[in-house]
Amino acid sequence: LIGENCLKSISYAKSFLKPGGDIIPQKGNIYACLISSKKLRRKQFPLDKIQNFDLSILSELRYNGVMDKISNYSDCIVISDNELVASLNFNQAFSHTLQAVVTFNVKQSAIIDSMVIWFRLKLFEDIYFDSRQSTGSHWDQWFLFPKYPIEVSEGNKLVVTVDNRIGKLVAVKWEVII
């Protein structure tokens, strides 16, 4: 929903809208949850050093996030409730930039491997599209990773600051509150 300059494209399209017309999609909500998955951890957190070669610079690439499907990780455990990151009404004025602080309540002790983001669009009247439930589209979920997996205990809070400063949603700060 945020990538591919979608917000700018919708704003531009609005300039061609006839009076009384509607933008489709009309609204969009962005949601996130925290997950733990050994399979994902092995894939996204490779060794920083192999046979004296420093590969740590490659791990910087994952901080920008990747498209993937939760369903690809059969061992995936969701360890938080779904939290609303942002709500956009495309028929009203909105900003092209997004910054949000999302607080997750940790429901069980685990290792956090990723924050997973998806969106739910209100296309028109009672027609919706949910990218978390999507199986036949290219709109997968967006996975954002901390620098290293984060160990948390049940009852902790994890506060994640996200923004779209590089044209897509990225996590710029992860903080555990005990």
Side-chain angles (χ1 to χ4, degrees):
L1 184 62
I2 298 296
E4 301 172 346
N5 288 315
C6 179
L7 299 180
K8 288 181 183 177
S9 297
I10 290 173
S11 288
Y12 181 70
K14 284 174 76 168
S15 68
F16 297 100
L17 191 65
K18 291 183 179 182
D22 281 322
I23 292 289
I24 299 175
Q26 294 177 330
K27 297 179 180 180
N29 288 337
I30 300 170
Y31 297 95
C33 68
L34 301 173
I35 64 165
S36 180
S37 164
K38 288 180 184 175
K39 184 177 175 183
L40 177 67
R41 193 175 315 134
R42 283 192 301 271
K43 179 179 176 184
Q44 291 300 326
F45 295 97
L47 297 173
D48 285 340
K49 193 175 237 182
I50 297 175
Q51 295 185 359
N52 294 325
F53 287 101
D54 183 3
L55 302 175
S56 60
I57 192 71
L58 296 175
S59 61
E60 296 291 325
L61 297 174
R62 87 171 160 267
Y63 303 140
N64 291 336
V66 297
M67 294 292 287
D68 208 339
K69 290 186 184 316
I70 292 176
S71 60
N72 288 341
Y73 302 96
S74 56
D75 68 335
C76 178
I77 300 168
V78 177
I79 60 170
S80 72
D81 289 330
N82 301 335
E83 298 295 335
L84 181 66
V85 175
S87 187
L88 301 163
N89 184 334
F90 300 120
N91 285 302
Q92 297 175 353
F94 59 88
S95 174
H96 296 175
T97 60
L98 176 93
Q99 185 172 48
V101 177
V102 187
T103 301
F104 297 95
N105 294 312
V106 176
K107 294 170 35 174
Q108 70 182 71
S109 297
I111 296 173
I112 297 170
D113 296 302
S114 179
M115 176 172 69
V116 179
I117 297 175
W118 67 97
F119 59 86
R120 186 167 196 258
L121 293 176
K122 179 180 182 182
L123 298 172
F124 189 74
E125 294 178 356
D126 62 347
I127 301 170
Y128 291 87
F129 173 79
D130 189 324
S131 69
R132 181 160 181 180
Q133 307 304 324
S134 173
T135 55
S137 82
H138 71 285
W139 281 325
D140 296 336
Q141 295 83 51
W142 187 241
F143 286 65
L144 294 176
F145 305 101
K147 187 168 186 167
Y148 297 101
I150 300 171
E151 192 166 345
V152 292
S153 298
E154 181 180 355
N156 289 163
K157 293 186 183 307
L158 182 72
V159 180
V160 183
T161 303
V162 296
D163 71 30
N164 67 336
R165 70 173 88 167
I166 63 170
K168 56 186 171 182
L169 207 56
V170 295
V172 294
K173 184 177 177 185
W174 301 74
E175 180 181 11
V176 177
I177 299 173
I178 299 174

